[in-house]
Amino acid sequence: MTAFERYGKLRIEGQRLVGEDGRNVRLFGMSTHGLAWYPQYVCEETFRALRDSWNVNCIRLALYTHEYHGYCTDGDKQELKTLVCKGIDMAVSLGMYAIIDWHVLGEQTPLTYADEAVCFFEEISGKYPGCPNLLYEICNEPNRNAGWDEIKKYASRVIPVIRKNSPEAIVIVGTPNWSQRCDLALEDPLSFDGLLYSFHFYAASHLDKERALLERCLKAGLPVMVSECSLTEASGHGELDLESSESWFSLLDEYNISYMTWSLSASKESSSVFCSGCKKLSGWEDEDLKPTGLWFRNRFRSEKN
Ligand code: IDC
């Protein structure tokens, strides 16, 4: 039975992500690296292997907006949209969930490309009206001076565009400081239903202080998704901190928080799951995986699905 057959259409009840029958659901899986960098993993073979061998139930499709052939800069819009749609179609046909991630990063504030975001989300939600497998992440990581007010303003423009076509779609909203300030959303939430606020961590850089902030928000009942995390430093490089990782995941387990892992690639970075140079799209052996890959594959396999 696929995850989608088991849970069906998801919704947010208070703080919880639940399935059609009201039972708790946890989404867990891989985030792609930038789709323009590593398009090869958006294929049936890879998604199927992640589902069947790694027990993954969700894929996050990271569409960079600004850097490296970003969708709003020098990227090929048509090609990138085709990839996004291919990823969604495959997740649907394999009974998985997909998160479409408008990967705000280099531009710092989501307001920079708000007009493009409106067009993009209008088009995608129009192509997939009411699609129950699809979650919308509208701004990966606002950062530096981008404040919660700006994010709210942006979200208030984009969410109604999505909800016009998919009135009950779950929307994931990034928070200031690289999606580490979900406390600001707790103090001053958006007025829409069906939202998850995102919190991101990289276990070797983010430690007790950040965990305490997330825990405080979870205790207070904030609906949260960890739509990106890894075991390394926030640069995506460096050593893994396994002790900190265990502490993060015991907190996530306590509240049944969904999480997506950075990244599905064979880049040189220690945060990518495949060894650099590995070209396989499925059938990965232990020796094809970096320590991050081995750790997460075990973790996914231990999840109930
Ligand atoms: C990093 C990539 C790296 C790329 C860089 C580009 O791993 O190859 O050069 O972005 O800007 C995030 C971001 C995510 C980062 C990742 C690691 O969401 O885009 O990817 N990270 O730095 N937040 C915290 C860490």
Side-chain angles (χ1 to χ4, degrees):
M1 201 185 221
T2 66
F4 183 72
E5 282 164 347
R6 188 163 296 119
Y7 306 129
K9 181 172 172 179
L10 308 179
R11 62 180 193 278
I12 312 294
E13 246 178 39
Q15 179 177 39
R16 300 179 312 135
L17 177 66
V18 301
E20 231 155 76
D21 62 3
R23 276 189 302 169
N24 287 347
V25 173
R26 179 180 231 179
L27 296 180
F28 53 91
M30 290 303 313
S31 173
T32 67
H33 197 291
L35 291 174
W37 266 269
Y38 294 98
Q40 64 269 37
Y41 297 107
V42 184
C43 70
E44 236 244 66
E45 182 184 345
T46 297
F47 281 30
R48 188 181 286 280
L50 289 174
R51 184 191 73 170
D52 294 345
S53 169
W54 288 28
N55 190 40
V56 151
N57 64 17
C58 184
I59 306 276
R60 177 185 191 234
L61 301 161
L63 178 64
Y64 274 82
T65 42
H66 186 79
E67 52 269 69
Y68 193 79
H69 305 316
Y71 185 83
C72 305
T73 52
D74 59 344
D76 182 330
K77 282 198 174 50
Q78 213 42 53
E79 217 169 89
L80 287 167
K81 265 189 294 203
T82 304
L83 261 182
V84 166
C85 294
K86 188 175 167 202
I88 297 170
D89 293 340
M90 274 176 337
V92 170
S93 74
L94 291 166
M96 302 168 84
Y97 294 88
I99 297 172
I100 167 165
D101 160 35
W102 185 255
H103 203 84
V104 170
L105 191 63
E107 70 272 47
Q108 303 178 12
T109 168
L111 290 178
T112 307
Y113 301 123
D115 291 343
E116 288 89 338
V118 164
C119 287
F120 174 79
F121 285 113
E122 198 156 49
E123 190 175 335
I124 294 292
S125 62
K127 190 157 186 230
Y128 297 94
C131 176
N133 306 64
L134 186 54
L135 291 82
Y136 292 85
E137 182 170 6
I138 60 173
C139 50
N140 166 52
E141 292 184 353
N143 59 78
R144 301 194 192 276
N145 292 326
W148 181 235
D149 283 350
E150 281 175 47
I151 301 171
K152 280 188 88 176
K153 198 165 145 199
Y154 166 77
S156 304
R157 265 191 81 188
V158 171
I159 294 170
V161 168
I162 297 170
R163 293 272 171 82
K164 202 168 88 197
N165 292 315
S166 278
E168 289 163 345
I170 293 175
V171 178
I172 303 163
V173 184
T175 57
N177 196 44
W178 290 274
S179 284
Q180 293 225 306
R181 292 297 305 275
C182 55
D183 57 315
L184 298 170
L186 175 68
E187 280 163 25
D188 182 18
L190 282 152
S191 56
F192 302 90
D193 290 331
L195 303 184
L196 290 168
Y197 296 101
S198 63
F199 181 88
H200 292 176
F201 69 82
Y202 281 70
S205 296
H206 307 127
L207 305 164
D208 290 344
K209 186 168 129 252
E210 290 80 10
R211 269 192 294 276
L213 182 146
L214 176 61
E215 187 166 17
R216 176 162 73 76
C217 294
L218 292 173
K219 270 206 179 106
L222 190 74
V224 171
M225 173 181 264
V226 172
S227 53
E228 194 184 295
C229 65
S230 201
L231 314 179
T232 62
E233 291 167 13
S235 62
H237 295 271
E239 297 289 315
L240 279 52
D241 186 335
L242 296 179
E243 201 183 313
S244 168
S245 303
E246 294 299 342
S247 304
W248 276 113
F249 276 89
S250 69
L251 176 60
L252 264 46
D253 288 345
E254 194 180 334
Y255 289 87
N256 198 43
I257 300 303
S258 297
Y259 62 94
M260 305 300 295
T261 300
W262 190 263
S263 72
L264 185 66
S265 79
S267 83
K268 289 205 179 77
E269 298 158 293
S270 51
S271 57
S272 72
V273 292
F274 306 127
C275 292
S276 353
C278 172
K279 294 210 164 54
K280 292 186 188 173
L281 297 179
S282 66
W284 309 285
E285 314 277 352
D286 287 8
E287 55 270 26
D288 296 319
L289 303 181
K290 288 213 186 86
T292 301
L294 288 167
W295 197 94
F296 276 109
R297 189 191 61 183
N298 287 344
R299 172 83 218 180
F300 296 145
R301 286 180 173 169
S302 73
E303 294 285 356
K304 279 199 302 294
N305 212 342

